[in-house]
């Protein structure tokens, strides 16, 4: 068996509406010369979900596992991460899409920038009918490899890195561990901050994934819990603000703290 180059982690919960499109975006990968695997962690017991996965099992290298059944995408994601065997790992949520050249771009970037353990790229926002809603601007210096100092001050002010826009080395988990399961809203943000502190980042300006905006998303469903959301944000800031002076000195750090 040849180890896969990329492991795709997919936590699934009641995703029958958009899941086929997400899986099809993996089938559609072009110009990619290596192997990949898809770790699907299922949190629901719906027949529709099983039927969709069965339909794609002949088209994709799927490994289907039971999720944590906690309605917590973070704990289910961590369970899937423990099953990954690829050199690189990325997340594809059930309602998002990868561009058809994502894997080939990642393959090229990994070959060109061997010092980087993290790869970041922009995404495009789409609506329920796949119509483009535009793309966010990533305010990073435009150079192929970024250091923690290039990213940390911008990232601590706001989570500007979207889940489908990141790929990281599996070996990086030996240093940073897994996602914090107590942070239902901000686990990804806290994880990116951990990663950029210990890794160089390869940065490409091509939007290689789409993030779907729709009212059925788990984030929207939990949006009434504003107190929990605020506490999640505060935990991440309080945990990371101590590192500002290490990167930028006392005077600049105070300005970033005010921001």
């Amino acid at each position: 068996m040849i180890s896969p180059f990329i492991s795709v982690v997919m936590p699934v919960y009641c995703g029958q509406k958009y899941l086929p499109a997400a899986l099809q975006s993996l089938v559609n990968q072009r110009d990619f010369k290596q192997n990949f695997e898809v770790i699907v962690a299922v949190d629901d017991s719906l027949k529709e979900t099983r039927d969709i996965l069965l339909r794609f099992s002949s088209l994709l290298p799927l490994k289907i596992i039971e999720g944590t059944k906690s309605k917590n995408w973070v704990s289910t994601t961590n369970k899937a991460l423990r099953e990954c065997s690829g050199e690189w790992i990325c997340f594809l949520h059930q309602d998002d899409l990868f561009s058809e050249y994502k894997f080939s771009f990642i393959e090229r970037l990994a070959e060109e920038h061997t010092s980087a353990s993290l790869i970041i790229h922009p995404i495009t926002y789409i609506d329920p009918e796949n119509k483009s809603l535009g793309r966010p601007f990533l305010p990073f210096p435009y150079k192929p490899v970024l250091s923690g100092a290039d990213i940390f001050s911008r990232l601590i002010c706001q989570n500007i890195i979207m889940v489908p826009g990141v790929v990281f080395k599996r070996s990086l988990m030996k240093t940073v561990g897994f996602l914090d399961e107590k942070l239902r809203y901000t686990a990804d943000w806290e994880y990116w901050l951990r990663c950029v502190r210990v890794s160089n980042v390869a940065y490409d300006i091509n939007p290689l994934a789409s993030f779907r905006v729709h009212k059925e998303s788990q984030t929207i469903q939990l949006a009434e819990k504003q107190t929990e959301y605020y506490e999640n944000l505060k935990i991440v800031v309080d945990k990371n603000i101590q590192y500002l002076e290490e990167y930028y000195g006392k005077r600049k750090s105070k300005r970033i703290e005010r921001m």
Side-chain angles (χ1 to χ4, degrees):
M1 293 290 290
I2 300 175
S3 296
F5 179 71
I6 295 178
S7 296
V8 182
V9 168
M10 291 191 71
V12 172
Y13 177 74
C14 299
Q16 61 272 22
K17 185 173 182 179
Y18 301 113
L19 180 58
L23 292 169
Q24 187 62 45
S25 76
L26 298 176
V27 176
N28 293 345
Q29 292 301 306
R30 300 179 62 182
D31 297 341
F32 181 60
K33 306 178 186 68
Q34 303 198 53
N35 296 332
F36 68 95
E37 66 178 359
V38 186
I39 313 296
V40 182
V42 182
D43 258 349
D44 66 50
S45 302
L46 298 176
K47 182 179 183 300
E48 295 94 326
T49 300
R50 307 292 169 169
D51 288 345
I52 292 167
L53 294 175
L54 179 62
R55 193 164 78 241
F56 278 90
S57 62
S58 63
L59 303 173
L60 289 169
L62 296 183
K63 181 176 183 179
I64 302 168
I65 65 173
E66 293 294 321
T68 57
K69 305 298 184 183
S70 60
K71 297 183 181 180
N72 182 341
W73 75 270
V74 185
S75 62
T76 292
T77 296
N78 280 341
K79 187 173 182 181
L81 283 171
R82 291 181 170 90
E83 300 291 329
C84 292
S85 58
E87 181 183 355
W88 293 83
I89 297 174
C90 58
F91 301 143
L92 177 60
H93 286 180
Q94 62 195 24
D95 38 11
D96 298 335
L97 305 172
F98 282 169
S99 80
E100 60 186 359
Y101 291 105
K102 169 149 179 159
F103 288 176
S104 60
F105 263 85
I106 297 306
E107 182 181 24
R108 177 180 60 79
L109 290 168
E111 289 175 355
E112 291 178 355
H113 308 299
T114 56
S115 68
S117 298
L118 199 70
I119 296 173
I120 294 173
H121 61 77
I123 57 93
T124 300
Y125 288 119
I126 57 173
D127 72 5
E129 283 72 46
N130 296 333
K131 180 182 177 182
S132 174
L133 302 173
R135 53 183 273 201
F137 171 69
L138 295 181
F140 302 139
Y142 183 54
K143 54 185 180 180
V145 178
L146 305 174
S147 67
D150 291 323
I151 296 178
F152 196 83
S153 63
R154 296 164 170 88
L155 187 57
I156 197 173
C157 290
Q158 184 180 354
N159 185 12
I160 48 180
I161 303 173
M162 304 302 288
V163 166
V166 180
V167 186
F168 58 93
K169 276 192 172 180
R170 182 162 58 97
S171 59
L172 190 59
M173 291 195 297
K174 294 179 181 178
T175 303
V176 301
F178 294 88
L179 281 73
D180 188 336
E181 296 178 12
K182 299 187 297 295
L183 302 174
R184 288 197 297 172
Y185 292 98
T186 58
D188 55 323
W189 183 29
E190 191 271 338
Y191 200 66
W192 311 147
L193 284 163
R194 256 189 281 164
C195 288
V196 301
R197 290 193 61 243
V198 298
S199 170
N200 286 334
V201 178
Y203 173 47
D204 193 272
I205 62 171
N206 292 284
L208 302 175
S210 297
F211 181 94
R212 194 182 304 275
V213 180
H214 63 100
K215 64 182 180 181
E216 295 96 353
S217 72
Q218 286 193 50
T219 304
I220 296 297
Q221 295 296 320
L222 295 169
E224 73 277 4
K225 302 179 186 291
Q226 289 298 298
T227 301
E228 182 186 357
Y229 184 40
Y230 172 80
E231 289 300 325
N232 274 210
L233 291 167
K234 189 173 186 300
I235 288 169
V236 177
V237 172
D238 289 348
K239 182 178 179 179
N240 286 279
I241 206 162
Q242 61 182 306
Y243 301 115
L244 286 173
E245 196 167 326
E246 173 186 317
Y247 282 123
Y248 310 109
K250 196 166 187 178
R251 178 178 294 182
K252 188 174 181 180
S253 295
K254 290 298 180 184
R255 181 167 59 83
I256 297 168
E257 284 181 28
R258 289 195 296 271
M259 292 171 62

